[in-house]
Amino acid sequence: MKRYVPALFSFVALSSLFVFPADARRWTTRDTVEMSRAIGQPRFSPDGAHFCVTSSRGVISINEIESTIWCFDSDKVKKFCASVSGATKANVRSVADSIVKISAPTLDETGYATTISNLKWAQNSDMFYFLARGRKAERRLFSYDLKTHQSHQLSFDGRDVSAFDLSNDAIVFVDSKLPDPADLYQAGPGSDVPDIVRGGGVSSTELMFPNLGKLRYGLERRRLCSVVDGKPVPLFESDSRQEITFLSLEPTVLISPDARYAVYRAQVESIPASWEKFQTRSKDYHPFKADNPSAFPGAHSKVLRPEQICIVELKTGKSRILIDAPLGVDAGYHEDDLTIVWSPDGKRVVIANTFFPPPKDSSSANFRSRPCIVVANTEGSLEFVAELDATDKEHIPVWDLHWDKSGSAVEIEGNGFLQRFERGASADRGGGALWSVGARTKAAAVDSSRKDFEVLTLQRLNRRPTVVACLAEAGKSIDQLLEGNKFLTILDPDPQLTDVELGDVSVYKWTDAEGRECVGGLVKPPDFKPGVRYPLLLQTHSFNQYEFFSCGASATGFPGRAAAARGMIVLQCGEPRRGSKYRGTTQEAEKDGRGCYVAAIERLAREGLIDPTKVGIIGWSRTGWYVLDTLINEPRYFRAATLADANSSSYGEYLRNVDFSNNGSNYLDTDYSKKPFGEGLKVWIDQASGFNLDKIHAPILVEYDNPYGLLDWSTYPVLRMLGKPVDLLYFRDGTHTESKPKLAFVAMETNLDWFDFWLNNHEDSSAPAKVEQYQRWRGLRQLQEKLSSTN
């Protein structure tokens, strides 16, 4: 029997969503959190008659993410484009068919949080499928029927669906038990954890937070399931009749076009010695090490193990390893996506960014030490296509793969190019050079799947994400149509933000201490006046010049535009650390961080844009180390700082991370060239921030987003012990890239108030709840003045 879930969705009259403010106002942190963001590009149905766009926004009042699927009739969009001349806003009711909307908690760790994800169309174009979060953040699989406007749940209640695929009438998904988010950081043993633990080899991290590893490091076994007559059914092994289960940090499943097979990724059960010859991307990733059969088989031994591609025959349940080699991402090759594509006949599959199994003869010249593009057939034979040389400076990331219709060639899509590889006639006989390099051509822009009009999600630094469309013109590319202002807005999910005064964001370039070009985003106040020197807020950890600028690299603490609205110039720094020769060396923080930040301050001061005596800086994640290094070695530049869930790269972080993953604290051994013991301790005492915090003069706001952060005692407790002006913002159940709307709002708003207080000497009197905050900060200011007078 089909299960109906009407309570999850609401079909809203579009006219009720559009309320325009009478008076213009300035951007706020609430706008950043509650602004809708389109997730990816429009997805067309196979027949091109409809397309869908998914958008998501935070709802602070209920601390949930609200996601919406907007479905459009292509003919209506085409008629609208033909009837309207000049750039204008669309009457959305004339082009939108329906809305599917759901709000729920989320556990997203990266990117923009979303409740609805993975939308896929059925081949008949009458239905699409998607994942939607439940009340405990578990993802469930749903179908949506365009004809009946009804939705059905296709997965098991109470379990989390992490991946799914469909082909013809076959649907396969991966699910697992999901720990209750409320229990992730509960101290002490969980209901299924013993009170007494004996024996070595057990991770202290897992003992403190037993549910954390199950959720975030793939320790909960996942299973393969299918949908039969609208109901979920587990897949069973053909011989044992046991459910097909496996471990995986990032599950992936893909069904063949004939629906006979599915490939999926799973952690290896045992690492063979032959894998030790595979080359890792950098010093941050240690080589694969063969398993010791006598090692303690604790749960921690399964954390972050390499994964490989497996295959299952759907009718019989017979499963096996398809490629007996690890994935490139497990060796640090993140420049290329793991991409899997079935051939049109369903007999072969091409995979990018997997290693090629070593030959039996270890001295063979055919050994490939780096990740490759590999073709595997369903019978188990493998064909080498090309090696991805990620150590080459000219390497361009592989983003996608395509088979041609004949199945005799593969096209690799990278950054603006298509590289063709052709399969030789000797391939079927299993000998010789099977694949040869073909022509490289320029890649096409966005494919709208329609010949008569173009549609895409459009955003710019100063333009909020909207969906736009225009009639196609012979001989003109999408870029040319954009330049000619041909596109019309067919969806603005946030019309209430139309008249908000944003201030200008522009691409800003400068040269660091090493002579390298740095690229950042310079955000000016809405009422910017030439000749006025403004306070400066430096936000670190990269800059994306191709998306609308709202907060910065993360919602964990960057106020971004909201800080500009309070009279500060904001510089979102793009550090020269990507591909830097200093990455993973003792000079990284100085060369890739400090030199960049100081050069930016001095350049902006020379140009008369900023007051160099009023500069604040925020470090997040890896750049926390950079900011600490800068505050210690160049204290005269900074009036205030924030360390938002930031690395300290110090002794406390070293000890905390021993049991964090298989790589443990090894990356810090690389950062300081030695372990912090014996003679190596002298190096750490001289260089590590935790032993040099006495040199910091700026007041610091320290933000931790979960109890795990508190375990690094190198920063906050030491600053308190030294009597430095330091404040704390702590979330027990936050995430490194904050996705919970309430926590993101508090993080950004607190940082906004913090820098407004220290750089502008301003207190926000609009919120009575902030009274105690400012009382505390005034005390820190008195402490700061006292310390300054004695130095």
Side-chain angles (χ1 to χ4, degrees), residues 42-52 71-72 74 119-128 146 448-450:
R43 292 182 176 270
F44 276 81
S45 59
D47 64 4
H50 295 86
F51 63 90
C52 288
C71 189
F72 295 85
S74 297
L119 189 147
K120 298 180 181 181
W121 283 92
Q123 191 60 39
N124 63 11
S125 298
D126 292 335
M127 188 176 295
F128 57 79
L146 286 179
S448 69
S449 298
R450 295 275 298 202

Side-chain angles (χ1 to χ4, degrees), residues 499-558:
D499 296 325
V500 173
E501 295 181 358
L502 295 177
D504 180 66
V505 182
S506 60
V507 175
Y508 185 77
K509 298 180 180 181
W510 71 101
T511 302
D512 74 349
E514 293 291 295
R516 297 173 296 180
E517 183 179 71
C518 302
V519 180
L522 190 67
V523 191
K524 296 178 180 177
D527 58 351
F528 174 78
K529 297 178 176 59
V532 175
R533 288 183 176 269
Y534 292 87
L536 170 66
L537 175 58
L538 277 173
Q539 298 190 160
T540 64
H541 208 292
S542 74
F543 165 63
N544 187 343
Q545 59 183 297
Y546 301 107
E547 69 177 17
F548 175 74
F549 185 86
S550 58
C551 60
S554 168
T556 304
F558 298 113

Side-chain angles (χ1 to χ4, degrees), residues 347-387:
K347 295 181 179 180
R348 287 167 293 155
V349 60
V350 60
I351 299 130
N353 208 8
T354 178
F355 286 92
F356 196 83
K360 294 181 180 180
D361 180 5
S362 59
S363 62
S364 173
N366 292 326
F367 175 70
R368 314 290 178 177
S369 64
R370 292 184 290 267
C372 304
I373 299 172
V374 179
V375 169
N377 70 21
T378 55
E379 301 301 320
S381 66
L382 303 178
E383 299 170 7
F384 169 78
V385 178
E387 188 172 23

